Amino acid sequence: MSIDLTGSSASGIAADLRTRIERGELAPGTLLPSVRAVAVDLGINRNTVVAAYRQLAQAGLVEARGRGGTRVADRTAVAQEGYAPDTVLRDVGTGNPDPARIPDPTAALARSTRPVLYGEPVIDPGLEAWARAWMTDQLPHDDVRITVTSGASDAIERLLAQALQRDDAVALEDPCFLSALHTVRTGGYRAVPVAVDAEGMTVDGLRAALEAGVRAVICTPRAHNPTGASLSAARAASLRAVLEDHPYVLVIEDDHFSLLSRAPLHSVIGPAQRRWARIRSMSKFLGPDTCLAVTASDPDTADGLAVRLTPGTTWVSHILQRLTLALVTDDAVRADIERAAEHYAARNAAFARALTERGLPTTPGDGLNLWVPLPAPAGIVREELMRRGWLVREGDPFFLSPDHAGAFLRLTVHDLDDSSAAALADDMALAAGTRRPGVRSGRIEA
């Protein structure tokens, strides 16, 4: 198939190809002309074509396949959290909290009803006062505004939309939280990967992303999903120092695990930052169906976020807001949340020890999940575990850079009893080739 491209700049060529892909003129799998061919046809430098193809690849529109050339990507949806549909296997890749450890809202709901009419404040005054005290730790700014949205993903989508234009670049952790990756791609922004190590987002990775022109940075300060990494005090300080030279880049701090986290918060939002937002969702400790998140931000960002809310939902249900306030200010509920936090940490630590004893060294991070490095390709291990009755989640969908994928599983095991956990650990060792058939281990205890 011949493709006559137009444009003399990287953005022009990328825009031409994007339009054809979006109109369906170039189907998934279509081979694009080689860089050399395009450069010759248009009379431009090869590096210009390389940059155009790179923009499209970062937006998820094309895939570079080495000697197989660059092809139009299959625009399948980004994988999402939750139970896999239509399976008889034991699903240990859900990313879900334990439903038995989500507080019962029945009594609080009875105290949370009152008619609310058009024109009333969009944020319940009680929730706003509580949230302001909760959200401002380590924020070196006096003028902090509070906004309530329908969950963290809703907040991120609206924050990016009020600050960015299509094709703008956004720095994302690599591997990345699936919801953030989905939000960036569906918004038409270019995802720029920033590597994550045991201390969280890397300094060199952030510096490179800023030099590449990103206009927003999304950072998880603790309980990074999927790895469980949390920023150390030193790492956070180094990241703030890098961001000082970019005060107008929008810094979004997604502190999704908040009340459940076993790690201290070390913020990347410094005093020099002019555009910033910190998001805390209720989903992990009050349940995903709560669909409520609180955002603290600078006044201009808050105003932009409010404008983005105006043509749509306008406000989050006041019944839901008052229910949230009733729960998070109840001493018994807070004690339940603390016990849930201890449970998640203990169960993940116990399972990590079991894997390590079976030849699969695993470090428990913070959060609901475990990130397990493998000595064999994840696809092979996954298929063998399926034959043994388990459904696990490969690490590949979490990565922006395909070079880093292929050797990880993300597991959600906190709700397994000791016997089931031991069976899974044994089966994983067999599937990964670190234990001989017929050798079984004992129970797992926290």
Side-chain angles (χ1 to χ4, degrees), residues 107-131:
L109 184 60
R111 307 192 301 270
S112 304
T113 57
R114 176 184 69 79
V116 173
L117 304 178
Y118 297 113
E120 295 195 36
V122 296
I123 304 178
D124 177 78
L127 179 62
E128 182 174 15
W130 175 83

Side-chain angles (χ1 to χ4, degrees), residues 215-216 243-251 272-275:
R215 293 182 176 272
L243 287 166
E244 281 183 0
D245 294 330
H246 304 271
Y248 290 99
V249 168
L250 173 62
V251 177
Q273 216 62 45
R274 301 294 185 89
R275 305 171 74 189

Side-chain angles (χ1 to χ4, degrees), residues 208-277:
L210 291 167
E211 291 173 353
V214 299
R215 293 182 176 272
V217 176
I218 302 177
C219 177
T220 311
R222 50 185 173 177
H224 172 257
N225 190 347
T227 69
S230 296
L231 292 175
S232 65
R235 177 63 58 82
S238 296
L239 293 172
R240 290 194 301 270
V242 172
L243 287 166
E244 281 183 0
D245 294 330
H246 304 271
Y248 290 99
V249 168
L250 173 62
V251 177
I252 301 174
E253 195 171 73
D254 183 9
D255 190 23
H256 70 105
F257 210 50
S258 60
L259 293 182
L260 292 170
S261 181
R262 301 294 86 183
L265 173 67
H266 298 296
S267 179
V268 299
I269 300 170
Q273 216 62 45
R274 301 294 185 89
R275 305 171 74 189
W276 55 269

Side-chain angles (χ1 to χ4, degrees), residues 118-148:
Y118 297 113
E120 295 195 36
V122 296
I123 304 178
D124 177 78
L127 179 62
E128 182 174 15
W130 175 83
R132 183 173 298 279
W134 181 49
M135 296 290 291
T136 54
D137 50 319
Q138 295 187 36
L139 287 179
H141 297 273
D142 294 328
D143 195 354
V144 177
R145 304 293 176 86
I146 301 296
T147 308
V148 175

Side-chain angles (χ1 to χ4, degrees), residues 26-32 61 63 65 68 70-75:
L26 299 178
T30 300
L31 179 65
L32 300 185
L61 293 171
E63 296 175 341
R65 300 182 181 177
T70 299
R71 296 178 180 272
V72 177
D74 181 4
R75 298 288 283 173

Side-chain angles (χ1 to χ4, degrees), residues 47-328:
N47 290 336
T48 302
V49 186
V50 170
Y53 281 12
R54 183 183 298 116
Q55 287 183 25
L56 294 168
Q58 290 172 337
L61 293 171
V62 303
E63 296 175 341
R65 300 182 181 177
R67 294 184 179 180
T70 299
R71 296 178 180 272
V72 177
D74 181 4
R75 298 288 283 173
T76 54
V78 174
Q80 296 293 291
E81 300 285 11
Y83 292 104
D86 304 322
T87 181
V88 297
L89 303 175
R90 182 72 180 269
D91 191 347
V92 289
T94 70
N96 271 317
D98 186 342
R101 298 180 184 277
I102 294 174
D104 183 352
T106 306
L109 184 60
R111 307 192 301 270
S112 304
T113 57
R114 176 184 69 79
V116 173
L117 304 178
Y118 297 113
E120 295 195 36
V122 296
I123 304 178
D124 177 78
L127 179 62
E128 182 174 15
W130 175 83
R132 183 173 298 279
W134 181 49
M135 296 290 291
T136 54
D137 50 319
Q138 295 187 36
L139 287 179
H141 297 273
D142 294 328
D143 195 354
V144 177
R145 304 293 176 86
I146 301 296
T147 308
V148 175
T149 62
S150 298
S153 295
D154 181 49
I156 291 173
E157 188 279 330
R158 296 177 191 275
L159 283 165
L160 295 178
Q162 59 87 32
L164 274 60
Q165 297 180 355
R166 191 178 181 88
D167 293 328
D168 279 347
V170 179
L172 292 179
E173 294 152 326
D174 191 24
C176 182
F177 181 39
L178 293 173
S179 180
L181 179 57
H182 176 73
T183 299
V184 166
R185 286 184 175 172
T186 56
Y189 312 116
R190 289 184 290 114
V192 176
V194 178
V196 171
D197 63 16
E199 295 182 68
M201 177 178 278
T202 58
V203 176
D204 288 344
L206 176 61
R207 185 179 291 110
L210 291 167
E211 291 173 353
V214 299
R215 293 182 176 272
V217 176
I218 302 177
C219 177
T220 311
R222 50 185 173 177
H224 172 257
N225 190 347
T227 69
S230 296
L231 292 175
S232 65
R235 177 63 58 82
S238 296
L239 293 172
R240 290 194 301 270
V242 172
L243 287 166
E244 281 183 0
D245 294 330
H246 304 271
Y248 290 99
V249 168
L250 173 62
V251 177
I252 301 174
E253 195 171 73
D254 183 9
D255 190 23
H256 70 105
F257 210 50
S258 60
L259 293 182
L260 292 170
S261 181
R262 301 294 86 183
L265 173 67
H266 298 296
S267 179
V268 299
I269 300 170
Q273 216 62 45
R274 301 294 185 89
R275 305 171 74 189
W276 55 269
R278 171 184 290 166
I279 306 168
R280 284 178 175 158
S281 167
M282 310 295 165
S283 297
K284 298 301 187 297
F285 50 89
L286 297 185
D289 198 40
T290 306
C291 288
L292 186 145
V294 176
T295 299
S297 67
D298 67 89
D300 289 341
T301 297
D303 288 343
L305 189 53
V307 168
R308 293 297 304 177
L309 284 163
T310 301
T313 56
T314 308
W315 72 79
V316 174
S317 164
H318 281 70
I319 295 175
L320 185 57
Q321 292 188 49
R322 288 196 292 270
L323 173 62
T324 297
L325 178 64
L327 290 170
V328 297

Side-chain angles (χ1 to χ4, degrees), residues 434-445:
T434 62
R435 175 155 297 209
R436 299 189 308 277
V439 178
R440 310 295 289 186
S441 298
R443 292 161 59 89
I444 293 177
E445 297 182 5

